Amino acid sequence: MSVQDTDLDVVSGIRAFLKNHAGIDKVVLSPAVTGSDTVSSKDLNRLVRTASRPIVTMTRQACGMAC
């Protein structure tokens, strides 16, 4: 596992990183990226459709009655 930071926006940074690193099998995005306004659903859907590798997004587990 590796964490990468970039000065680009999230979508452009992921595309640039994937272009330069052919050995990556899958990209996993944290709930912080998908749960905030960091990446719009439109941008995320476009990234998933155009990326050459699987993009997996994680979400926070919904809180049931125990919360």
Side-chain angles (χ1 to χ4, degrees):
M1 183 172 118
S2 175
V3 176
Q4 182 71 30
D5 64 341
T6 181
D7 292 334
L8 303 171
D9 65 283
V10 174
V11 174
S12 298
I14 292 171
R15 281 192 181 128
F17 188 80
L18 290 175
K19 185 184 284 188
N20 295 325
H21 297 84
I24 294 181
D25 296 326
K26 183 186 303 184
V27 176
V28 179
L29 300 177
S30 77
V33 172
T34 58
S36 67
D37 291 332
T38 305
V39 177
S40 71
S41 61
K42 180 181 175 181
D43 289 337
L44 183 60
N45 286 333
R46 189 173 58 225
L47 175 64
V48 169
R49 282 192 322 266
T50 61
S52 58
R53 277 101 171 170
I55 306 287
V56 177
T57 58
M58 299 186 308
T59 60
R60 296 189 194 284
Q61 185 172 2
C63 189
M65 294 181 70
C67 291

